[in-house]
Amino acid sequence: GGTISFHEADDVYFGRYVFVYITDEDNPAGYVQVGRFLAGQAWRPFYSHTEASLRTVDPSESRRTLGGRKIVLARPKYRQMDVGFSWMTEADALGVAFEIDRQIAKAGDMLVVYDAQDQPAILFRRAFYASLVDTSPISVVAGTYGTGGPLYQARLQLEELT
């Protein structure tokens, strides 16, 4: 774990370069080290998710010897998050969710931030660099939202990239 600085701009900006200026008067070293910097379009659905689960996956292999000793071939752990949206607007479902499946899919990557308002001790546990485990269908569900349009349903299955 560590410190995560997260900034969501109040508007959408397009450009070729991103310049970041860091000023820290209390830093005697005069420099900072940044492990990973990501910039891109942020998405917050109109209606929040209806279900979500987060788990740590341990792909290590374990077995026992004939004498009963446990032997583990340790492999790096990673996080998986499964987020379900049962009440999506058409713009969210056929706009952003569809494009996440189409453009990012399994080979692409994204920054997942479960709740940008989390306390720092929780934020770094629920924010991670991820890709899709698989694409998921987007389906129409019965009902309408405030403007009378149909509601949609979708799921994002994400796994951490290390």
Side-chain angles (χ1 to χ4, degrees), residues 2-137:
T3 304
I4 293 179
S5 296
F6 178 73
H7 171 73
E8 183 178 350
D10 55 355
D11 203 353
V12 176
Y13 299 94
F14 293 95
R16 178 175 270 178
Y17 303 102
V18 175
F19 294 98
V20 177
Y21 298 98
I22 299 172
T23 303
D24 186 358
E25 300 291 330
D26 298 327
N27 182 359
Y31 67 93
V32 295
Q33 291 181 329
V34 178
R36 185 172 281 152
F37 176 84
L38 299 170
Q41 180 181 354
W43 173 56
R44 183 177 296 151
F46 187 79
Y47 296 115
S48 186
H49 63 279
T50 51
E51 60 179 297
S53 64
L54 175 67
R55 75 182 191 121
T56 299
V57 177
D58 185 355
S60 300
E61 296 176 28
S62 66
R63 60 185 174 94
R64 296 235 178 231
T65 65
L66 293 176
R69 182 170 178 249
K70 184 177 180 179
I71 298 174
V72 177
L73 175 59
R75 299 224 165 96
K77 294 180 275 301
Y78 60 92
R79 291 171 279 188
Q80 274 189 342
M81 184 180 284
D82 188 13
V83 185
F85 301 93
S86 295
W87 303 298
M88 295 182 84
T89 65
E90 189 171 57
D92 281 337
L94 299 179
V96 180
F98 179 79
E99 291 303 316
I100 287 173
D101 271 1
R102 191 178 74 79
Q103 291 185 21
I104 295 175
K106 292 180 181 181
D109 49 24
M110 68 183 104
L111 176 65
V112 176
V113 180
Y114 183 81
D115 184 352
Q117 304 305 315
D118 276 341
Q119 296 298 317
I122 301 299
L123 178 62
F124 84 89
R125 289 180 173 92
R126 297 198 307 182
F128 55 93
Y129 189 52
S131 67
L132 291 178
V133 173
D134 203 354
T135 57
S136 300

Side-chain angles (χ1 to χ4, degrees), residues 131-150:
S131 67
L132 291 178
V133 173
D134 203 354
T135 57
S136 300
I138 297 171
S139 52
V140 180
V141 294
T144 60
Y145 59 93
T147 60

